[in-house]
C-alpha cells in the first residue's frame, strides 16, 4: 500500500478523496494549500500526490512545477485534480509536469483506477 498526499482546499472533495484512498488501504496525508502541500511532500516523500489545480495560494500547476524542479520531490508522480476538463487541459497539465489528471466531480471507479495506474508506474520505475 502507498503513502499518498492529497492537496485540495475544498473540504468535500478532500474528504471524499481521503475516504476512497483509505478504503483502498493507503496511508493518506492531506494539505489544504500549495505551501503546506509542498512542505509535506518534501518532508514525507509520498508515493503519489493528488494536486488540486485551483488552490487559495499558489495554483496547483505552479506548485507541481516547483515539485518537479526540486531533486527531493521530482520523482514523485503528481496527478492533477481539475474541475474543468476541457480541450487543451490535459496538455496544460502535462506541460506543468503532472503525470496525469482526474476530472472533478470525482467518479469513484475512475479515481481509484487512475491512482492504481500511477502507483503501478512508480513501482515499475523502481523508486526506492
Ligand atoms: Mn480548489
Amino acid at each position: 500500500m502507498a503513502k499518498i498526499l492529497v492537496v485540495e482546499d475544498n473540504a468535500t472533495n478532500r474528504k471524499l478523496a481521503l475516504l476512497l484512498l483509505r478504503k483502498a488501504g493507503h496511508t493518506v496525508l492531506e494539505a489544504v494549500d500549495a505551501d503546506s502541500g509542498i512542505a509535506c511532500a518534501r518532508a514525507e516523500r509520498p508515493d503519489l500526490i493528488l494536486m488540486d489545480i485551483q488552490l487559495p495560494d499558489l495554483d496547483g500547476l505552479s506548485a507541481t512545477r516547483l515539485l518537479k524542479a526540486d531533486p527531493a520531490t521530482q520523482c514523485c508522480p503528481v496527478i492533477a485534480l481539475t474541475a474543468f476538463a476541457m480541450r487543451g487541459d490535459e496538455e496544460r497539465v502535462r506541460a506543468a509536469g503532472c503525470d496525469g489528471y482526474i476530472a472533478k466531480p470525482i467518479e469513484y471507479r475512475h479515481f481509484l483506477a487512475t491512482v492504481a495506474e500511477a502507483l503501478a508506474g512508480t513501482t515499475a520505475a523502481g523508486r526506492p
Side-chain angles (χ1 to χ4, degrees):
M1 293 298 106
K3 181 160 70 175
I4 301 176
L5 168 62
V6 176
V7 186
E8 166 67 85
D9 63 314
N10 180 278
T12 304
N13 287 330
R14 194 173 62 250
K15 283 176 186 165
L16 176 57
L18 262 58
L19 181 73
L20 292 172
L21 293 170
R22 286 190 178 130
K23 276 194 86 169
H26 300 299
T27 299
V28 191
L29 307 164
E30 55 184 306
V32 298
D33 56 38
D35 272 352
S36 58
I38 289 169
C40 184
R42 286 180 177 149
E44 297 284 343
R45 310 284 186 94
D47 300 303
L48 176 66
I49 299 173
L50 301 184
M51 178 74 76
D52 178 28
I53 293 309
Q54 291 172 299
L55 291 166
D57 48 351
L58 195 60
D59 71 90
L61 293 182
S62 299
T64 299
R65 284 191 202 96
L66 289 176
L67 291 170
K68 294 294 185 179
D70 183 344
T73 50
Q74 65 188 182
C75 318
C76 184
V78 177
I79 300 289
L81 297 175
T82 170
F84 36 88
M86 299 182 294
R87 187 190 299 270
D89 219 38
E90 179 165 9
E91 288 74 10
R92 213 163 54 84
V93 160
R94 299 251 183 217
C98 294
D99 302 89
Y101 78 95
I102 294 172
K104 293 185 282 190
I106 290 170
E107 194 279 307
Y108 299 6
R109 283 180 188 223
H110 175 70
F111 176 83
L112 290 173
T114 304
V115 166
E117 277 170 28
L119 291 173
T122 61
T123 305
R127 286 185 70 232

